């Protein structure tokens, strides 16, 4: 147990919360089903290891009447408040008066419940603001600090969660506990596990900052439901990932808004944008709580060296599970390179000639040579980490010894161990203690490998700097297509030759001047969707066709523009997210891609190299790679376009959005065929929502 | 233990294999790391429970020299053969001579290894053909029959797998063991677990047929790598699912062919087609081995009543995990209906007013009312099954008692129980014993629910009959577009008005006759991809345009056709799969959908109703539902088109393929804009492969 109030956490002000000398349970109860009774039981271990535990209940003569009274008997740094919502503000004020530095309000019935709960939450917040006491909750089931012997939770089983290297920072108290239990069942211990609840005071960024200085924490599991302050969360994750990997699970991929609002408030930004912002800050993103456990468990014991495109060596003692593993790794786009000649030569001396040795390496039934096989694969210059699977067959091979023998300190190993029973559990735990990530099945191995790869890539990514190029500033006001394209021209983005024409004669002159096939469009900044109002006529080659088009377009200014070569259409843009600020978006053009919401997002400004990497996230990326003889994308060229748009938005508060739709990939490169620039606050929110790129 | 040779399995001929009176281990060894030694140890329990166990090794004076010698000492129904591949055929012949009805060849080095191994496998197969002995393997780690006390496997830990209700039929011995272990760790017992290996004799359909008569088996986990006989597998699955649910995991979503070929032979059909065929036969499909365990474990204890679109009631004691669960269920397209007024009224009497009760139902911290809450939700007429989650808090509520109180016999319950330690394990097992499916986390609950829903839908699906309508027969030979469209006309599928024109004058007459905008195309059955050779000119409105088009098309016959209204393009077709026979395919048109391989498949013939259900599988299905004011699909109309194509192919051995690309969805319904008919064997395989719809 750490000495109170002088540990490394003092700077973040959460020492009283996570390392108190004494704890008062307010609303303690003798009735076993009550929260206060459960909490007092949970804290028995804290009392037994020397902490001061005071039970407070004004209606029970055998307990202290108030926190102030309890503080007479010993130090009370932390008040665990288990009284109904209307009474919490007064108790909190009493705790602050008594010298408690922190409190947890466990119960619900506050803002998440609406109605009078909003007032109760305001009252609690007012005490925090007045007294400076740090408050976790309300509406949380508390936290665990196993290294300090502290189980500040009313869920009884959590005392069985052993101290370890994984920290949990969960939006929800229930998820915090669920994750702590899943980690325990997977063989991992916990350094700190916190449920934020309503987050009136202590928020996820506070806890992340606290963990950056925590010597026990090897990796952090972050569960996100909604984000109050995007830039603050991103900054905290970025600071933390510089030293400690963070794995994030973001809720809300699908429409869960109605229930979520009843829980902790509506989701203020999109699931995709939240994930993109966390990834850009260095976090590893996962899709569900099982993969969260696989990922954070692996990263808590090992981490791959930074690499832009790490290679995986696969070693399996059974071909069937190895095939499941390979299939899963391919689905995660892991690179499984063919092993080099030297490696294969070494493997040839270790393995029977009939096994597959190219990568995956199938050892056949494993024997004592497994350690040397692992070492040979790890030594291959193409291999940055090793994924393995073996059934637990102690008579054939000691997996712990083999992993130790096969270990290259620079090349992490993830080993799936199939089996059941105590000997298998002990074996997995011994592997973890030796710094080998473990899983019970091929899926778990693949998930852990995916996390190590994502972390290695994130570490290799340059820290985003400011805009890479100077961009125009002071941009604002209405932009028709010509003005929007002129702006693109200033950014170095190609557009087709065009002429602005105020009358029929000018249009005919433009047709003659441009030659070939032209498009004729209305030119009016107020019309954002020209095609939908019949404002676009394509493929005009002669005067008659032009006249027919102009007849239909009516009077006003027109844009006559050379038709671009055929190709593949993209959509790129930059806009302001209400929570995270400027972001860039990239998707394929056309209704199918739009209906599939096949889009990649990054916070802006973004470097051109990072923007180029967005292409790899598109499900339909094969279309950009010379599909059926079509043009092939130069990702660097696209990355530059996307980065410039992000730079522009970041540098121009007068702009809300800029979108190029379509940006056509042709044999001669990228050409912007249409562009829309939206000045700040020019579009009412409702129209914006209807019109949004499918980032739902 | 069942009485040998007179149990219910006798009909399938696998009694000697799975319920032997005596077992000989050939190649038994005293060296603990050897296969034969491990096998003998595994079979110790069989011997202890009264089975005859004979150890055979010609080089060890303390053992029997041959199986024939061993058979003198007691009955030998099953020979477990652990000798090198070249020696196996002779040992197998000896076993057959000695009266053994079955054998398992454990080792590898046969056809999967190539080279001389092919000959060794042929030799073994010849003994099987000559003697009628049933052979499991080669290249398998054996099987478990825990109800018979029989652990015929060299993997030591499997003796810890307890008897239970889940059967495993795995392509790979390693996967068989991996699954048995995962089931054990999830609290499930096993009725039979078999790894097929190279499948020289005993194949997956044999074991499935055996299981159809097995009283112990409540659900079957089927792992598929490659399929030798598609119709036989489909028939076996269909027979079995009539009584016992089957959950299938098919390997090979991604490109794993090189390694797979080294294992059990190349994948002979596509991953999608295999899944479609198994699903149509009534199996539940899953994506990974964890979901396989979740799914088969749930289905082994409970099964929802047949329903085309079952509704899920969600009950959670903690909002955060409930939100994870809801998000996951939405991703699986589970229907989570708003609960009825009567249900909500009942819930209002049971729960605090501030909790969410619409569905999900958030109980707040659970208390003794949980059983009545579960019962109220299960009683809602919209609810076909209940998904729940609660942390294990025995002081607050006894989950086993609550589930028993809440149980409606017609409405399955899947309950996630978060916690760790022996009490939690015991609680989960008690729930399973009470017929409640359990999981450790929200993801597991959602996976189990997904499986129960898929099974309920499969049960509600009508058994496919023959063709629903009479279709033309005797079709074959070359089809140009006109002839292909005439065939569509006979099937009742709409096409645009068209004229076949042998010369320029006829084409001009056709233009005048059809009016409006026309398409002009070359008409030549030898040209399958008209657009790619410049053989299509669209949007022609006048004589000059027609002449220009005809100039470019050159001489020959042309098709002049009215242009269809704009709309959304689909691709539909029917073709012969080399393994499963006739299949129908449905996808969205356009390169994006093609690049994304967004396609649904069914074996043909298929009913129109089932074909209509294919639409729901398309990722881009939103495009067909009035996307941005466009036309909305009538699924029944599309189902009829797809079903007719399947009927046609099934009834015409002279056809290899028929494809409509595009089939356009217009405001007036579906219109076939182009069609290709491929007569049997008209297309060389290489061209076929290049041109295939993206079913890879």
């Amino acid at each position: 147990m750490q000495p109170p109030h002088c540990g490394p956490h003092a700077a973040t002000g959460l020492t009283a919360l996570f390392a108190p000398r004494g704890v008062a349970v307010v609303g303690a109860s003798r009735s076993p089903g009550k929260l206060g009774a459960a909490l007092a039981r949970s804290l028995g271990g804290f009392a037994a290891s020397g902490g001061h535990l005071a039970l407070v209940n004004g209606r029970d003569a055998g307990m202290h009447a108030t926190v102030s009274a309890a503080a007479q008997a010993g130090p009370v740094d932390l008040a665990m408040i288990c009284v109904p919502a209307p009474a919490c503000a007064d108790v909190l004020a009493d705790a602050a008066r008594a010298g408690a530095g922190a409190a947890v309000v466990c119960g619900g019935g506050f803002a998440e419940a609406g109605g009078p709960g909003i007032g109760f939450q305001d009252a609690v917040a007012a005490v925090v603001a007045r007294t400076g006491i740090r408050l976790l909750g309300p509406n949380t089931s508390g936290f665990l600090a196993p290294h300090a012997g502290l189980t500040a939770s009313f869920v009884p089983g959590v005392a069985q969660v052993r101290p370890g290297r994984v920290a949990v920072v969960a939006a929800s108290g229930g998820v915090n506990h669920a994750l702590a239990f899943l980690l325990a069942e997977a063989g991992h211990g916990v350094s700190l596990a916190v449920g934020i609840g309503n987050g009136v005071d202590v928020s996820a960024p506070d806890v992340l900052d606290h963990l950056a200085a925590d010597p026990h924490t090897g990796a952090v599991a972050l569960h996100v439901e909604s984000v109050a302050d995007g830039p603050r969360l991103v900054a905290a994750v970025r600071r933390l990932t510089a030293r400690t990997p963070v794995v994030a699970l973001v809720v809300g991929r699908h429409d869960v808004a109605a229930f979520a609002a009843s829980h902790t408030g509506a989701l203020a930004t999109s699931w995709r944008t939240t994930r993109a912002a966390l990834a850009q800050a260095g976090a590893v993103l996962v899709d569900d709580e099982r993969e969260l456990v696989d990922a954070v468990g692996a990263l808590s014991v090992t981490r791959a060296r930074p690499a832009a495109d790490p290679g995986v060596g696969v070693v399996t003692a059974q071909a069937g599970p190895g095939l499941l593993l390979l299939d899963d790794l391919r689905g995660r786009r892991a690179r499984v390179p063919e092993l080099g000649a030297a490696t294969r030569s070494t493997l040839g001396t270790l393995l029977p000639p009939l096994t597959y040795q190219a990568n995956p390496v199938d050892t056949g039934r494993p024997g004592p040579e497994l350690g040397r096989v692992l070492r040979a694969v790890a030594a291959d210059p193409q291999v940055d980490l090793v994924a393995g699977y073996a059934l637990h067959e102690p008579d054939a091979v000691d997996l712990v010894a083999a992993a130790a023998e096969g270990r290259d300190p620079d090349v992490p190993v993830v080993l799936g161990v199939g089996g059941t029973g105590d000997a298998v559990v002990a074996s997995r735990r011994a592997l973890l203690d030796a710094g080998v990530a473990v899983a019970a099945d091929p899926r778990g191995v693949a998930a852990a490998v995916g996390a190590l790869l994502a972390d290695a890539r994130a570490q290799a990514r340059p820290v985003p700097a400011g805009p890479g190029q100077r961009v125009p500033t002071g941009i604002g006001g209405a932009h028709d297509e010509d003005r929007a394209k002129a702006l693109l021209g200033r950014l170095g983005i190609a557009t087709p030759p065009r002429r602005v024409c105020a009358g029929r004669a000018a249009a005919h002159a433009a047709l003659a001047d441009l030659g070939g096939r032209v498009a004729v469009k209305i030119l009016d900044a107020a019309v954002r969707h020209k095609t939908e109002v019949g404002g676009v006529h394509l493929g005009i080659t002669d005067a008659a066709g032009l006249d027919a088009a102009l007849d239909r377009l009516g009077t006003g200014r027109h844009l006559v523009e050379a038709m671009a070569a055929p190709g593949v259409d993209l959509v790129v843009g930059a806009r302001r997210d209400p929570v995270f600020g400027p972001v860039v978006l990239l998707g394929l053009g056309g209704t199918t891609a739009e209906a599939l919401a096949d889009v990649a997002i990054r916070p802006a400004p973004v470097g051109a190299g990072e923007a180029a990497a967005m292409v790899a996230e598109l499900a339909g990326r094969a279309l950009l790679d010379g599909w059926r003889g079509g043009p092939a994308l130069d990702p660097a060229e696209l990355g530059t376009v996307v980065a410039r748009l992000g730079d522009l938005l970041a540098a121009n508060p007068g702009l809300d959005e800029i979108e190029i739709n379509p940006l056509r990939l042709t044999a001669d490169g990228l050409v912007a065929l249409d562009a829309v620039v939206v000045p700040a606050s020019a579009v009412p929110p409702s129209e914006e929502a209807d019109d949004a790129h499918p980032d739902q």
Side-chain angles (χ1 to χ4, degrees), chain A:
Chain A
M1 195 176 153
Q2 292 186 7
H5 289 271
C6 53
H9 307 330
T12 65
L14 298 185
T15 307
L17 181 62
F18 296 135
R21 293 166 301 175
V23 179
V25 178
V26 188
S29 169
R30 296 181 198 276
S31 169
K34 298 275 188 182
L35 283 192
L39 248 178
R41 274 196 305 278
S42 293
L43 288 165
F46 174 71
S49 64
H52 174 56
L53 176 62
L55 305 183
V56 176
N57 188 330
R59 296 192 208 154
D60 188 321
M63 300 186 187
H64 298 289
T66 62
V67 181
S68 299
Q72 308 295 317
V76 174
D77 291 326
L78 170 62
M80 300 292 301
I81 301 176
C82 308
V83 300
C88 281
D90 286 350
V91 172
L92 188 64
D94 175 42
R97 264 194 308 275
V104 178
V105 173
C106 300
F110 293 88
E112 86 286 354
I118 297 169
F120 303 147
Q121 185 156 320
D122 287 346
V124 165
V127 176
V128 169
R130 196 176 74 236
T131 64
I133 192 169
R134 298 309 305 262
L135 175 66
L136 181 66
N139 192 23
T140 174
S141 41
F143 69 92
L144 327 180
H147 288 286
L150 185 60
T151 310
S153 154
F154 56 75
V155 180
V158 288
Q160 295 181 50
V161 175
R162 66 185 175 99
R165 294 175 52 76
V166 179
V168 178
V169 183
S172 135
V175 170
N176 180 47
H177 282 78
L179 291 175
F181 289 135
L182 291 174
L183 286 161
E185 300 230 308
H188 301 291
V190 162
S191 57
L192 180 70
V194 184
I196 298 298
N198 290 10
V200 159
D201 174 33
V202 174
S203 62
D206 288 329
V207 181
L208 296 174
D209 283 342
H210 172 82
L211 291 170
D214 179 33
H216 298 299
T217 298
V220 178
L222 176 65
H223 163 255
V224 177
E225 287 180 351
S226 63
V227 178
D229 184 337
R232 187 160 170 241
L233 178 64
V234 165
V237 170
R238 179 164 289 134
R239 277 192 295 272
L240 184 52
T241 54
R243 174 178 169 278
T244 308
V246 173
V247 183
L249 172 63
V250 180
V251 185
R253 179 173 202 142
H254 307 285
D255 178 17
V256 294
F259 183 43
S262 80
H263 176 30
T264 50
L267 303 176
T269 181
S270 81
W271 177 82
R272 285 164 190 270
T273 301
T274 304
R275 283 173 54 105
L278 292 171
Q280 190 70 347
V284 171
L285 275 295
V286 292
D287 289 336
D288 63 67
E289 69 277 9
R290 288 184 184 173
E291 301 222 339
L292 179 59
V293 169
D294 297 324
V296 78
L299 283 163
S300 75
V301 298
T302 188
R303 202 171 184 183
R305 58 197 164 199
D309 187 20
V312 183
V314 179
V315 177
T316 186
Q318 285 82 28
L323 201 50
L324 287 171
L325 174 56
L326 180 66
D327 205 9
D328 200 331
L329 288 172
R330 291 242 193 274
R332 294 168 198 269
R333 304 185 203 165
R335 192 166 63 86
V336 182
E338 187 152 301
L339 297 174
T343 310
R344 294 172 75 166
S345 166
T346 305
L347 292 173
T349 67
L350 296 169
L351 294 174
L354 297 176
T355 60
Y356 195 84
Q357 297 168 17
N359 198 11
V361 177
D362 177 4
T363 67
R365 187 163 186 247
E369 76 290 344
L370 181 62
R372 279 166 288 154
V373 171
L374 291 170
R375 189 161 195 92
V377 173
D380 190 287
Q382 290 275 345
V383 168
D384 294 280
L385 71 89
V386 176
Y389 183 88
L391 294 172
H392 180 73
E393 296 182 72
D395 298 320
V397 61
D398 177 339
L399 291 176
V400 180
E405 186 188 1
R407 195 71 200 285
D408 176 327
D410 284 339
V411 180
V413 176
V414 184
L415 192 57
V417 181
T420 191
D422 293 341
V424 176
V425 170
S427 187
R428 289 186 191 135
R429 190 163 292 182
L431 287 165
L432 285 173
D433 289 344
V436 175
V438 297
D441 46 43
R443 180 82 172 180
V445 176
V449 167
L452 291 169
L453 294 176
D455 179 62
R457 290 190 200 106
Q459 291 179 74
R461 218 156 48 203
V463 175
Q469 295 273 337
R470 296 192 75 132
V471 291
T473 54
I475 307 291
H479 281 65
D480 61 26
E481 183 176 341
D482 178 60
R483 192 172 167 213
K485 285 184 166 170
L487 178 58
L488 295 185
R490 294 170 70 190
L491 295 173
I493 299 168
T495 53
R498 66 181 182 279
R499 302 287 182 272
V500 176
C501 307
R504 202 166 278 254
H508 280 277
L511 172 64
D513 187 18
L514 293 168
R517 300 168 74 225
V518 303
V520 184
K521 319 182 201 178
I522 55 170
L523 193 57
D524 183 344
V527 178
R528 180 157 175 182
H529 301 291
K530 292 182 285 284
T531 302
E532 294 177 14
V533 299
V536 178
H537 292 264
L538 301 177
I540 291 164
T541 53
D542 55 23
L546 179 60
D547 278 329
L550 292 171
D551 288 347
R552 275 182 259 170
L553 288 171
T555 57
R557 294 161 72 239
H558 301 118
L559 193 66
V560 178
E561 188 175 65
M563 295 282 288
V568 182
D569 286 346
L570 297 156
V571 181
V572 299
R575 62 168 57 163
R576 290 184 202 286
D577 181 83
V579 171
F580 289 99
V583 296
V584 291
L585 300 96
L586 166 68
L588 287 167
T591 51
T592 305
E594 194 177 358
L596 293 172
D598 186 16
V599 62
I601 300 178
R602 289 288 186 286
V606 60
E610 180 59 24
M614 294 166 73
V615 177
E617 291 173 19
L618 297 179
R621 64 197 172 284
L623 286 177
L624 303 173
D625 203 21
W627 179 260
R628 303 218 156 165
L633 178 72
D634 172 5
E637 184 189 1
L638 178 61
T640 301
V641 170
V642 173
R644 294 275 164 82
L645 297 184
D647 290 347
L648 183 78
L649 204 77
N652 285 281
L655 291 185
D656 260 4
E657 184 177 353
I658 179 165
E659 184 180 83
I660 305 175
N661 183 5
L663 176 70
R664 181 165 291 173
L665 168 62
T666 72
D668 297 326
L670 295 166
V671 186
L673 303 195
D674 197 359
V676 171
V677 172
V678 182
S681 304
V683 177
S686 62
E687 182 182 336
E688 182 74 31
D690 281 340
D691 176 58
H693 205 279
D695 170 27
Q696 309 301 341

